[in-house]
Amino acid sequence: QVQLVESGGGLVQAGGSLRLSCAASGRTFSTYRMGWFRQAPGKEREFVAHITRSGEGSYYADSVKGRFTISRDNAKNTLYLQMNRLKPEDTAVYYCAASAKVPGTIYDYDYWGQGTQVTVSS
């Protein structure tokens, strides 16, 4: 089992940057595939980015490709999301999640953090 705690959210102007962190408890962080998701008010939770266990592979939603970078430090049990050139439509609660297997859908992620709010003003 793993517990996830996000941090780094806040209020930023359009065009600015933020870096989110997700601290994982336990010694098995490196065995989990990790993802970032977000949920805007009135909308369903959506995929943002995913990273493999080693960190060598990553995948992004088209809406963030080229602006966001997912990374992980297995020695520190921490997942990151560097967000650049933020837009008002990036405003949402951002969640990190862990999957014990190769995830096909959002439902394949086993553990979730409580989320951190990101607000981008125009």
Side-chain angles (χ1 to χ4, degrees):
Q1 187 170 348
V2 62
Q3 293 183 330
L4 305 172
V5 179
E6 302 94 337
S7 62
L11 174 64
V12 63
Q13 288 188 333
S17 299
L18 282 175
R19 187 174 83 154
L20 305 183
S21 298
C22 172
S25 65
R27 302 179 182 177
T28 59
F29 176 71
S30 62
T31 67
Y32 289 93
R33 290 85 171 173
M34 299 296 297
W36 284 101
F37 293 79
R38 66 187 182 186
Q39 188 166 17
K43 295 188 177 181
E44 293 187 352
R45 193 169 299 187
E46 65 175 6
F47 168 76
V48 174
H50 171 86
I51 192 166
T52 59
R53 291 174 295 181
S54 67
E56 293 182 354
S58 57
Y59 309 91
Y60 298 90
D62 288 342
S63 59
V64 307
K65 200 173 295 182
R67 300 188 298 122
F68 291 11
T69 302
I70 187 172
S71 62
R72 67 191 297 166
D73 186 335
N74 287 340
K76 294 183 178 180
N77 284 5
T78 304
L79 175 73
Y80 302 100
L81 184 68
Q82 177 67 44
M83 305 185 295
N84 299 327
R85 291 185 282 138
L86 283 160
K87 304 175 181 181
E89 51 263 44
D90 295 318
T91 295
V93 177
Y94 283 71
Y95 300 89
C96 64
S99 176
K101 55 185 180 293
V102 177
T105 71
I106 188 173
Y107 304 105
D108 291 326
Y109 286 83
D110 305 291
Y111 304 103
W112 292 82
Q114 292 186 327
T116 184
Q117 175 71 46
V118 171
T119 303
V120 184
S121 63
S122 58

